[in-house]
mmCIF file of all heavy atoms in Angstrom:
data_model
loop_
_atom_site.group_PDB
_atom_site.id
_atom_site.type_symbol
_atom_site.label_atom_id
_atom_site.label_comp_id
_atom_site.label_asym_id
_atom_site.label_seq_id
_atom_site.Cartn_x
_atom_site.Cartn_y
_atom_site.Cartn_z
ATOM 1 N N ARG A 274 137.975 121.710 90.661
ATOM 2 C CA ARG A 274 138.930 120.649 90.419
ATOM 3 C C ARG A 274 138.742 120.152 88.981
ATOM 4 O O ARG A 274 139.772 119.834 88.333
ATOM 5 C CB ARG A 274 138.654 119.582 91.480
ATOM 6 C CG ARG A 274 139.566 118.350 91.253
ATOM 7 C CD ARG A 274 139.650 117.496 92.483
ATOM 8 N NE ARG A 274 140.037 116.209 92.263
ATOM 9 C CZ ARG A 274 141.294 115.818 91.915
ATOM 10 N NH1 ARG A 274 142.181 116.700 91.836
ATOM 11 N NH2 ARG A 274 141.592 114.561 91.713
ATOM 12 N N THR A 275 137.570 119.951 88.552
ATOM 13 C CA THR A 275 137.345 119.361 87.237
ATOM 14 C C THR A 275 137.887 120.327 86.161
ATOM 15 O O THR A 275 138.573 119.842 85.218
ATOM 16 C CB THR A 275 135.802 119.197 86.957
ATOM 17 O OG1 THR A 275 135.318 118.291 87.931
ATOM 18 C CG2 THR A 275 135.553 118.616 85.615
ATOM 19 N N ALA A 276 137.683 121.640 86.281
ATOM 20 C CA ALA A 276 138.203 122.586 85.298
ATOM 21 C C ALA A 276 139.728 122.501 85.244
ATOM 22 O O ALA A 276 140.336 122.541 84.164
ATOM 23 C CB ALA A 276 137.730 124.014 85.600
ATOM 24 N N GLY A 277 140.376 122.340 86.409
ATOM 25 C CA GLY A 277 141.758 122.192 86.498
ATOM 26 C C GLY A 277 142.262 120.915 85.717
ATOM 27 O O GLY A 277 143.334 120.952 85.056
ATOM 28 N N LEU A 278 141.568 119.862 85.962
ATOM 29 C CA LEU A 278 141.922 118.587 85.183
ATOM 30 C C LEU A 278 141.767 118.709 83.706
ATOM 31 O O LEU A 278 142.655 118.218 82.967
ATOM 32 C CB LEU A 278 141.083 117.430 85.726
ATOM 33 C CG LEU A 278 141.400 116.978 87.235
ATOM 34 C CD1 LEU A 278 140.317 116.024 87.648
ATOM 35 C CD2 LEU A 278 142.791 116.491 87.337
ATOM 36 N N VAL A 279 140.729 119.366 83.308
ATOM 37 C CA VAL A 279 140.526 119.547 81.828
ATOM 38 C C VAL A 279 141.576 120.423 81.289
ATOM 39 O O VAL A 279 142.182 120.158 80.244
ATOM 40 C CB VAL A 279 139.145 120.175 81.548
ATOM 41 C CG1 VAL A 279 139.022 120.699 80.063
ATOM 42 C CG2 VAL A 279 138.013 119.301 81.889
ATOM 43 N N ASP A 280 142.037 121.458 82.001
ATOM 44 C CA ASP A 280 143.090 122.327 81.560
ATOM 45 C C ASP A 280 144.398 121.573 81.524
ATOM 46 O O ASP A 280 145.150 121.676 80.510
ATOM 47 C CB ASP A 280 143.149 123.587 82.563
ATOM 48 C CG ASP A 280 144.004 124.609 81.944
ATOM 49 O OD1 ASP A 280 144.068 124.796 80.688
ATOM 50 O OD2 ASP A 280 144.612 125.416 82.703
ATOM 51 N N GLU A 281 144.708 120.770 82.524
ATOM 52 C CA GLU A 281 145.921 119.990 82.562
ATOM 53 C C GLU A 281 146.009 118.997 81.415
ATOM 54 O O GLU A 281 147.075 118.701 80.894
ATOM 55 C CB GLU A 281 146.006 119.215 83.873
ATOM 56 C CG GLU A 281 146.438 120.082 85.074
ATOM 57 C CD GLU A 281 146.435 119.249 86.305
ATOM 58 O OE1 GLU A 281 146.756 117.977 86.205
ATOM 59 O OE2 GLU A 281 146.190 119.812 87.380
ATOM 60 N N ALA A 282 144.845 118.515 80.971
ATOM 61 C CA ALA A 282 144.824 117.523 79.870
ATOM 62 C C ALA A 282 144.810 118.221 78.523
ATOM 63 O O ALA A 282 144.879 117.452 77.499
ATOM 64 C CB ALA A 282 143.512 116.735 79.955
ATOM 65 N N GLY A 283 144.918 119.486 78.456
ATOM 66 C CA GLY A 283 145.061 120.211 77.234
ATOM 67 C C GLY A 283 143.688 120.641 76.601
ATOM 68 O O GLY A 283 143.666 121.129 75.516
ATOM 69 N N GLY A 284 142.684 120.520 77.378
ATOM 70 C CA GLY A 284 141.336 120.908 76.887
ATOM 71 C C GLY A 284 141.200 122.398 76.509
ATOM 72 O O GLY A 284 140.694 122.690 75.462
ATOM 73 N N ARG A 285 141.705 123.204 77.336
ATOM 74 C CA ARG A 285 141.617 124.677 77.017
ATOM 75 C C ARG A 285 142.466 124.992 75.742
ATOM 76 O O ARG A 285 141.992 125.714 74.855
ATOM 77 C CB ARG A 285 142.160 125.544 78.167
ATOM 78 C CG ARG A 285 142.054 127.032 78.006
ATOM 79 C CD ARG A 285 142.646 127.807 79.075
ATOM 80 N NE ARG A 285 142.180 127.389 80.453
ATOM 81 C CZ ARG A 285 141.140 127.997 81.057
ATOM 82 N NH1 ARG A 285 140.563 129.068 80.530
ATOM 83 N NH2 ARG A 285 140.788 127.638 82.285
ATOM 84 N N ARG A 286 143.609 124.481 75.674
ATOM 85 C CA ARG A 286 144.492 124.693 74.504
ATOM 86 C C ARG A 286 143.786 124.182 73.236
ATOM 87 O O ARG A 286 143.826 124.887 72.214
ATOM 88 C CB ARG A 286 145.799 123.921 74.678
ATOM 89 C CG ARG A 286 146.989 124.645 74.280
ATOM 90 C CD ARG A 286 148.302 123.975 74.600
ATOM 91 N NE ARG A 286 148.298 122.545 75.053
ATOM 92 C CZ ARG A 286 148.426 122.239 76.326
ATOM 93 N NH1 ARG A 286 148.465 123.113 77.369
ATOM 94 N NH2 ARG A 286 148.343 120.968 76.664
ATOM 95 N N ALA A 287 143.208 122.978 73.247
ATOM 96 C CA ALA A 287 142.533 122.437 72.135
ATOM 97 C C ALA A 287 141.243 123.267 71.658
ATOM 98 O O ALA A 287 141.005 123.557 70.585
ATOM 99 C CB ALA A 287 142.061 120.966 72.404
ATOM 100 N N THR A 288 140.543 123.785 72.757
ATOM 101 C CA THR A 288 139.391 124.545 72.496
ATOM 102 C C THR A 288 139.786 125.928 71.815
ATOM 103 O O THR A 288 139.130 126.378 70.889
ATOM 104 C CB THR A 288 138.648 124.804 73.742
ATOM 105 O OG1 THR A 288 138.239 123.543 74.325
ATOM 106 C CG2 THR A 288 137.369 125.697 73.561
ATOM 107 N N VAL A 289 140.793 126.547 72.289
ATOM 108 C CA VAL A 289 141.271 127.792 71.713
ATOM 109 C C VAL A 289 141.815 127.621 70.291
ATOM 110 O O VAL A 289 141.428 128.419 69.396
ATOM 111 C CB VAL A 289 142.322 128.469 72.573
ATOM 112 C CG1 VAL A 289 142.998 129.607 71.969
ATOM 113 C CG2 VAL A 289 141.704 128.930 73.939
ATOM 114 N N ALA A 290 142.478 126.508 70.081
ATOM 115 C CA ALA A 290 142.939 126.205 68.716
ATOM 116 C C ALA A 290 141.772 125.998 67.850
ATOM 117 O O ALA A 290 141.775 126.516 66.604
ATOM 118 C CB ALA A 290 143.895 124.986 68.728
ATOM 119 N N GLU A 291 140.741 125.325 68.217
ATOM 120 C CA GLU A 291 139.568 125.054 67.432
ATOM 121 C C GLU A 291 138.892 126.427 67.156
ATOM 122 O O GLU A 291 138.412 126.657 65.950
ATOM 123 C CB GLU A 291 138.611 124.116 68.064
ATOM 124 C CG GLU A 291 137.363 123.725 67.292
ATOM 125 C CD GLU A 291 137.634 122.928 66.099
ATOM 126 O OE1 GLU A 291 138.705 122.259 66.005
ATOM 127 O OE2 GLU A 291 136.771 122.793 65.247
ATOM 128 N N ALA A 292 138.773 127.220 68.086
ATOM 129 C CA ALA A 292 138.059 128.555 67.955
ATOM 130 C C ALA A 292 138.855 129.379 66.938
ATOM 131 O O ALA A 292 138.298 130.081 66.162
ATOM 132 C CB ALA A 292 137.965 129.251 69.327
ATOM 133 N N ARG A 293 140.171 129.451 67.101
ATOM 134 C CA ARG A 293 140.952 130.200 66.156
ATOM 135 C C ARG A 293 140.815 129.715 64.743
ATOM 136 O O ARG A 293 140.742 130.516 63.811
ATOM 137 C CB ARG A 293 142.389 130.102 66.546
ATOM 138 C CG ARG A 293 142.746 130.940 67.797
ATOM 139 C CD ARG A 293 144.231 130.989 68.073
ATOM 140 N NE ARG A 293 144.516 131.460 69.401
ATOM 141 C CZ ARG A 293 144.430 132.746 69.737
ATOM 142 N NH1 ARG A 293 144.168 133.653 68.824
ATOM 143 N NH2 ARG A 293 144.724 133.103 70.920
ATOM 144 N N GLU A 294 140.641 128.406 64.508
ATOM 145 C CA GLU A 294 140.437 127.839 63.170
ATOM 146 C C GLU A 294 139.057 128.330 62.646
ATOM 147 O O GLU A 294 138.915 128.692 61.465
ATOM 148 C CB GLU A 294 140.487 126.331 63.170
ATOM 149 C CG GLU A 294 140.229 125.637 61.911
ATOM 150 C CD GLU A 294 141.215 126.127 60.748
ATOM 151 O OE1 GLU A 294 142.372 126.527 61.054
ATOM 152 O OE2 GLU A 294 140.775 126.136 59.596
ATOM 153 N N HIS A 295 138.056 128.302 63.514
ATOM 154 C CA HIS A 295 136.792 128.860 63.034
ATOM 155 C C HIS A 295 136.792 130.282 62.692
ATOM 156 O O HIS A 295 136.141 130.684 61.667
ATOM 157 C CB HIS A 295 135.678 128.645 64.117
ATOM 158 C CG HIS A 295 135.231 127.159 64.234
ATOM 159 N ND1 HIS A 295 134.356 126.608 63.303
ATOM 160 C CD2 HIS A 295 135.544 126.193 65.027
ATOM 161 C CE1 HIS A 295 134.144 125.329 63.617
ATOM 162 N NE2 HIS A 295 134.865 125.110 64.704
ATOM 163 N N LEU A 296 137.539 131.069 63.464
ATOM 164 C CA LEU A 296 137.681 132.481 63.190
ATOM 165 C C LEU A 296 138.522 132.762 61.905
ATOM 166 O O LEU A 296 138.122 133.634 61.170
ATOM 167 C CB LEU A 296 138.274 133.218 64.384
ATOM 168 C CG LEU A 296 137.387 133.254 65.648
ATOM 169 C CD1 LEU A 296 138.093 133.911 66.784
ATOM 170 C CD2 LEU A 296 136.128 133.975 65.296
ATOM 171 N N ARG A 297 139.480 131.870 61.621
ATOM 172 C CA ARG A 297 140.193 131.982 60.354
ATOM 173 C C ARG A 297 139.226 131.764 59.211
ATOM 174 O O ARG A 297 139.249 132.522 58.164
ATOM 175 C CB ARG A 297 141.315 130.969 60.345
ATOM 176 C CG ARG A 297 142.246 131.121 59.056
ATOM 177 C CD ARG A 297 142.856 129.826 58.674
ATOM 178 N NE ARG A 297 141.989 128.731 58.431
ATOM 179 C CZ ARG A 297 141.214 128.521 57.363
ATOM 180 N NH1 ARG A 297 141.150 129.512 56.420
ATOM 181 N NH2 ARG A 297 140.439 127.489 57.274
ATOM 182 N N ALA A 298 138.387 130.749 59.314
ATOM 183 C CA ALA A 298 137.355 130.513 58.314
ATOM 184 C C ALA A 298 136.422 131.654 58.170
ATOM 185 O O ALA A 298 136.014 131.984 57.036
ATOM 186 C CB ALA A 298 136.653 129.248 58.614
ATOM 187 N N ALA A 299 136.062 132.255 59.256
ATOM 188 C CA ALA A 299 135.134 133.480 59.155
ATOM 189 C C ALA A 299 135.854 134.611 58.425
ATOM 190 O O ALA A 299 135.140 135.246 57.615
ATOM 191 C CB ALA A 299 134.714 133.863 60.610
ATOM 192 N N ARG A 300 137.021 134.828 58.730
ATOM 193 C CA ARG A 300 137.825 135.875 58.005
ATOM 194 C C ARG A 300 137.757 135.561 56.442
ATOM 195 O O ARG A 300 137.532 136.473 55.657
ATOM 196 C CB ARG A 300 139.266 135.948 58.490
ATOM 197 C CG ARG A 300 139.439 136.709 59.833
ATOM 198 C CD ARG A 300 140.888 136.912 60.028
ATOM 199 N NE ARG A 300 141.066 137.331 61.395
ATOM 200 C CZ ARG A 300 141.461 136.452 62.380
ATOM 201 N NH1 ARG A 300 141.727 135.175 62.074
ATOM 202 N NH2 ARG A 300 141.619 136.903 63.583
ATOM 203 N N ALA A 301 137.980 134.333 56.154
ATOM 204 C CA ALA A 301 138.015 133.936 54.728
ATOM 205 C C ALA A 301 136.663 134.181 54.124
ATOM 206 O O ALA A 301 136.552 134.565 52.940
ATOM 207 C CB ALA A 301 138.477 132.431 54.586
ATOM 208 N N CYS A 302 135.615 133.881 54.843
ATOM 209 C CA CYS A 302 134.241 134.107 54.277
ATOM 210 C C CYS A 302 133.924 135.542 54.019
ATOM 211 O O CYS A 302 133.212 135.845 53.072
ATOM 212 C CB CYS A 302 133.173 133.536 55.294
ATOM 213 S SG CYS A 302 133.127 131.730 55.287
ATOM 214 N N LEU A 303 134.590 136.399 54.812
ATOM 215 C CA LEU A 303 134.318 137.886 54.560
ATOM 216 C C LEU A 303 134.832 138.314 53.175
ATOM 217 O O LEU A 303 134.319 139.251 52.655
ATOM 218 C CB LEU A 303 135.057 138.706 55.638
ATOM 219 C CG LEU A 303 134.411 138.708 56.982
ATOM 220 C CD1 LEU A 303 135.246 139.575 57.993
ATOM 221 C CD2 LEU A 303 132.988 139.256 56.930
ATOM 222 N N ASP A 304 135.768 137.591 52.614
ATOM 223 C CA ASP A 304 136.291 137.869 51.299
ATOM 224 C C ASP A 304 135.152 137.716 50.221
ATOM 225 O O ASP A 304 135.271 138.363 49.201
ATOM 226 C CB ASP A 304 137.517 137.069 50.949
ATOM 227 C CG ASP A 304 138.696 137.374 51.781
ATOM 228 O OD1 ASP A 304 138.750 138.512 52.326
ATOM 229 O OD2 ASP A 304 139.618 136.542 51.906
ATOM 230 N N GLY A 305 134.257 136.832 50.473
ATOM 231 C CA GLY A 305 133.184 136.655 49.524
ATOM 232 C C GLY A 305 131.878 137.415 49.781
ATOM 233 O O GLY A 305 130.911 137.121 49.077
ATOM 234 N N VAL A 306 131.965 138.263 50.693
ATOM 235 C CA VAL A 306 130.720 139.069 51.028
ATOM 236 C C VAL A 306 130.906 140.478 50.584
ATOM 237 O O VAL A 306 132.010 141.068 50.866
ATOM 238 C CB VAL A 306 130.434 138.957 52.497
ATOM 239 C CG1 VAL A 306 129.219 139.773 52.924
ATOM 240 C CG2 VAL A 306 130.233 137.477 52.934
ATOM 241 N N ASP A 307 129.852 140.998 49.971
ATOM 242 C CA ASP A 307 129.998 142.487 49.604
ATOM 243 C C ASP A 307 129.574 143.345 50.764
ATOM 244 O O ASP A 307 128.465 143.518 51.162
ATOM 245 C CB ASP A 307 128.963 142.700 48.433
ATOM 246 C CG ASP A 307 129.086 144.108 47.876
ATOM 247 O OD1 ASP A 307 130.107 144.655 47.912
ATOM 248 O OD2 ASP A 307 128.049 144.561 47.311
ATOM 249 N N LEU A 308 130.627 143.886 51.427
ATOM 250 C CA LEU A 308 130.523 144.774 52.562
ATOM 251 C C LEU A 308 131.211 146.080 52.300
ATOM 252 O O LEU A 308 132.222 146.116 51.583
ATOM 253 C CB LEU A 308 131.149 144.089 53.808
ATOM 254 C CG LEU A 308 130.532 142.851 54.306
ATOM 255 C CD1 LEU A 308 131.400 142.209 55.477
ATOM 256 C CD2 LEU A 308 129.112 143.137 54.902
ATOM 257 N N THR A 309 130.755 147.081 52.990
ATOM 258 C CA THR A 309 131.554 148.333 52.966
ATOM 259 C C THR A 309 132.861 148.151 53.669
ATOM 260 O O THR A 309 132.948 147.239 54.559
ATOM 261 C CB THR A 309 130.765 149.482 53.600
ATOM 262 O OG1 THR A 309 130.651 149.237 55.016
ATOM 263 C CG2 THR A 309 129.388 149.756 52.925
ATOM 264 N N GLU A 310 133.793 148.925 53.318
ATOM 265 C CA GLU A 310 135.081 148.823 54.001
ATOM 266 C C GLU A 310 135.018 149.034 55.488
ATOM 267 O O GLU A 310 135.628 148.444 56.327
ATOM 268 C CB GLU A 310 136.126 149.720 53.382
ATOM 269 C CG GLU A 310 136.738 149.119 52.156
ATOM 270 C CD GLU A 310 137.305 147.760 52.262
ATOM 271 O OE1 GLU A 310 138.095 147.485 53.237
ATOM 272 O OE2 GLU A 310 136.958 146.874 51.444
ATOM 273 N N GLY A 311 134.067 149.981 55.896
ATOM 274 C CA GLY A 311 133.874 150.245 57.352
ATOM 275 C C GLY A 311 133.332 149.011 58.129
ATOM 276 O O GLY A 311 133.742 148.622 59.061
ATOM 277 N N ALA A 312 132.355 148.345 57.471
ATOM 278 C CA ALA A 312 131.724 147.187 58.081
ATOM 279 C C ALA A 312 132.785 146.049 58.139
ATOM 280 O O ALA A 312 132.901 145.324 59.120
ATOM 281 C CB ALA A 312 130.469 146.790 57.296
ATOM 282 N N ARG A 313 133.527 145.809 57.040
ATOM 283 C CA ARG A 313 134.553 144.786 56.992
ATOM 284 C C ARG A 313 135.568 145.083 58.067
ATOM 285 O O ARG A 313 135.971 144.181 58.830
ATOM 286 C CB ARG A 313 135.167 144.694 55.630
ATOM 287 C CG ARG A 313 136.216 143.686 55.474
ATOM 288 C CD ARG A 313 136.887 143.691 54.090
ATOM 289 N NE ARG A 313 135.913 143.642 52.976
ATOM 290 C CZ ARG A 313 135.234 142.571 52.582
ATOM 291 N NH1 ARG A 313 135.558 141.383 53.124
ATOM 292 N NH2 ARG A 313 134.428 142.621 51.597
ATOM 293 N N GLY A 314 136.015 146.343 58.163
ATOM 294 C CA GLY A 314 137.006 146.636 59.163
ATOM 295 C C GLY A 314 136.461 146.393 60.573
ATOM 296 O O GLY A 314 137.237 145.974 61.446
ATOM 297 N N ASP A 315 135.250 146.751 60.813
ATOM 298 C CA ASP A 315 134.649 146.585 62.176
ATOM 299 C C ASP A 315 134.697 145.100 62.492
ATOM 300 O O ASP A 315 134.986 144.691 63.648
ATOM 301 C CB ASP A 315 133.249 147.073 62.179
ATOM 302 C CG ASP A 315 133.178 148.577 62.212
ATOM 303 O OD1 ASP A 315 134.255 149.304 62.456
ATOM 304 O OD2 ASP A 315 132.137 149.184 62.053
ATOM 305 N N LEU A 316 134.223 144.249 61.544
ATOM 306 C CA LEU A 316 134.250 142.828 61.816
ATOM 307 C C LEU A 316 135.624 142.259 62.051
ATOM 308 O O LEU A 316 135.787 141.399 62.960
ATOM 309 C CB LEU A 316 133.529 142.143 60.634
ATOM 310 C CG LEU A 316 132.018 142.270 60.614
ATOM 311 C CD1 LEU A 316 131.483 141.726 59.290
ATOM 312 C CD2 LEU A 316 131.310 141.673 61.781
ATOM 313 N N LEU A 317 136.557 142.693 61.273
ATOM 314 C CA LEU A 317 137.942 142.233 61.434
ATOM 315 C C LEU A 317 138.593 142.635 62.748
ATOM 316 O O LEU A 317 139.399 141.961 63.309
ATOM 317 C CB LEU A 317 138.769 142.632 60.138
ATOM 318 C CG LEU A 317 138.453 141.969 58.930
ATOM 319 C CD1 LEU A 317 139.228 142.622 57.754
ATOM 320 C CD2 LEU A 317 138.649 140.446 58.956
ATOM 321 N N THR A 318 138.123 143.793 63.241
ATOM 322 C CA THR A 318 138.534 144.302 64.498
ATOM 323 C C THR A 318 137.913 143.470 65.673
ATOM 324 O O THR A 318 138.573 143.158 66.670
ATOM 325 C CB THR A 318 138.250 145.784 64.676
ATOM 326 O OG1 THR A 318 138.852 146.561 63.661
ATOM 327 C CG2 THR A 318 138.618 146.292 66.092
ATOM 328 N N LEU A 319 136.650 143.097 65.449
ATOM 329 C CA LEU A 319 135.991 142.307 66.472
ATOM 330 C C LEU A 319 136.440 140.858 66.601
ATOM 331 O O LEU A 319 136.508 140.396 67.706
ATOM 332 C CB LEU A 319 134.464 142.354 66.162
ATOM 333 C CG LEU A 319 133.623 141.461 67.050
ATOM 334 C CD1 LEU A 319 133.533 142.010 68.471
ATOM 335 C CD2 LEU A 319 132.128 141.450 66.441
ATOM 336 N N ILE A 320 136.855 140.328 65.537
ATOM 337 C CA ILE A 320 137.064 138.792 65.416
ATOM 338 C C ILE A 320 138.170 138.367 66.536
ATOM 339 O O ILE A 320 137.936 137.429 67.175
ATOM 340 C CB ILE A 320 137.517 138.379 63.986
ATOM 341 C CG1 ILE A 320 136.231 138.282 63.200
ATOM 342 C CG2 ILE A 320 138.272 137.042 64.087
ATOM 343 C CD1 ILE A 320 136.538 138.060 61.691
ATOM 344 N N PRO A 321 139.240 139.089 66.684
ATOM 345 C CA PRO A 321 140.240 138.556 67.657
ATOM 346 C C PRO A 321 139.720 138.614 69.072
ATOM 347 O O PRO A 321 140.110 137.775 69.881
ATOM 348 C CB PRO A 321 141.370 139.566 67.573
ATOM 349 C CG PRO A 321 141.284 140.164 66.194
ATOM 350 C CD PRO A 321 139.784 140.227 65.933
ATOM 351 N N PHE A 322 138.814 139.497 69.426
ATOM 352 C CA PHE A 322 138.287 139.570 70.786
ATOM 353 C C PHE A 322 137.387 138.401 71.044
ATOM 354 O O PHE A 322 137.171 138.078 72.234
ATOM 355 C CB PHE A 322 137.465 140.884 70.952
ATOM 356 C CG PHE A 322 138.327 142.143 70.957
ATOM 357 C CD1 PHE A 322 138.375 142.936 69.899
ATOM 358 C CD2 PHE A 322 139.047 142.384 72.075
ATOM 359 C CE1 PHE A 322 139.154 144.000 69.885
ATOM 360 C CE2 PHE A 322 139.952 143.525 72.086
ATOM 361 C CZ PHE A 322 139.965 144.265 70.918
ATOM 362 N N LEU A 323 136.847 137.726 70.089
ATOM 363 C CA LEU A 323 135.993 136.506 70.356
ATOM 364 C C LEU A 323 136.773 135.313 70.956
ATOM 365 O O LEU A 323 136.165 134.553 71.671
ATOM 366 C CB LEU A 323 135.363 136.132 69.021
ATOM 367 C CG LEU A 323 134.420 137.140 68.354
ATOM 368 C CD1 LEU A 323 133.929 136.594 67.010
ATOM 369 C CD2 LEU A 323 133.269 137.484 69.292
ATOM 370 N N VAL A 324 138.012 135.289 70.668
ATOM 371 C CA VAL A 324 138.860 134.244 71.270
ATOM 372 C C VAL A 324 139.705 134.692 72.412
ATOM 373 O O VAL A 324 139.828 134.030 73.424
ATOM 374 C CB VAL A 324 139.801 133.535 70.197
ATOM 375 C CG1 VAL A 324 140.737 132.617 70.863
ATOM 376 C CG2 VAL A 324 138.939 132.859 69.202
ATOM 377 N N ASP A 325 140.243 135.893 72.379
ATOM 378 C CA ASP A 325 141.208 136.421 73.304
ATOM 379 C C ASP A 325 140.608 137.046 74.478
ATOM 380 O O ASP A 325 141.337 137.463 75.415
ATOM 381 C CB ASP A 325 142.195 137.378 72.600
ATOM 382 C CG ASP A 325 142.949 136.640 71.491
ATOM 383 O OD1 ASP A 325 143.261 135.460 71.703
ATOM 384 O OD2 ASP A 325 143.291 137.295 70.469
ATOM 385 N N ARG A 326 139.280 137.216 74.579
ATOM 386 C CA ARG A 326 138.664 137.827 75.707
ATOM 387 C C ARG A 326 138.789 136.995 76.912
ATOM 388 O O ARG A 326 139.011 135.728 76.851
ATOM 389 C CB ARG A 326 137.198 138.065 75.476
ATOM 390 C CG ARG A 326 136.449 136.791 75.339
ATOM 391 C CD ARG A 326 134.997 137.109 74.867
ATOM 392 N NE ARG A 326 134.353 135.904 74.528
ATOM 393 C CZ ARG A 326 133.256 135.452 75.112
ATOM 394 N NH1 ARG A 326 132.685 136.260 76.129
ATOM 395 N NH2 ARG A 326 132.663 134.329 74.878
ATOM 396 N N THR A 327 138.743 137.522 78.108
ATOM 397 C CA THR A 327 138.801 136.779 79.325
ATOM 398 C C THR A 327 137.587 137.131 80.157
ATOM 399 O O THR A 327 136.943 138.083 79.943
ATOM 400 C CB THR A 327 140.124 137.198 80.152
ATOM 401 O OG1 THR A 327 140.046 138.561 80.382
ATOM 402 C CG2 THR A 327 141.309 136.792 79.437
ATOM 403 N N GLY A 328 137.265 136.257 81.124
ATOM 404 C CA GLY A 328 136.139 136.555 81.936
ATOM 405 C C GLY A 328 134.943 135.681 81.688
ATOM 406 O O GLY A 328 134.830 134.871 80.850
#
């Protein structure tokens, strides 16, 4: 019941929006790091799964 109330109040939406903002900042930080293209690509592929995963 509590989880439902938090969701109804917009808690899940706000949390996902905050997580997306942090991930946007993480992507921007990658621009300043000397990585191989393979490593950069792997990280950029992983980033969306950190927010969009379920379970």
Side-chain angles (χ1 to χ4, degrees):
R274 174 161 161 76
T275 302
L278 292 172
V279 170
D280 196 29
E281 285 178 29
R285 182 183 309 262
R286 223 175 9 260
T288 301
V289 170
E291 182 73 15
R293 288 185 192 283
E294 179 57 29
H295 283 284
L296 293 176
R297 184 207 57 75
R300 282 188 196 100
C302 286
L303 285 177
D304 292 338
V306 178
D307 186 26
L308 294 173
T309 65
E310 281 306 309
R313 182 181 308 282
D315 289 346
L316 288 170
L317 290 172
T318 298
L319 175 65
I320 285 173
F322 291 104
L323 298 174
V324 171
D325 297 327
R326 66 189 172 118
T327 58

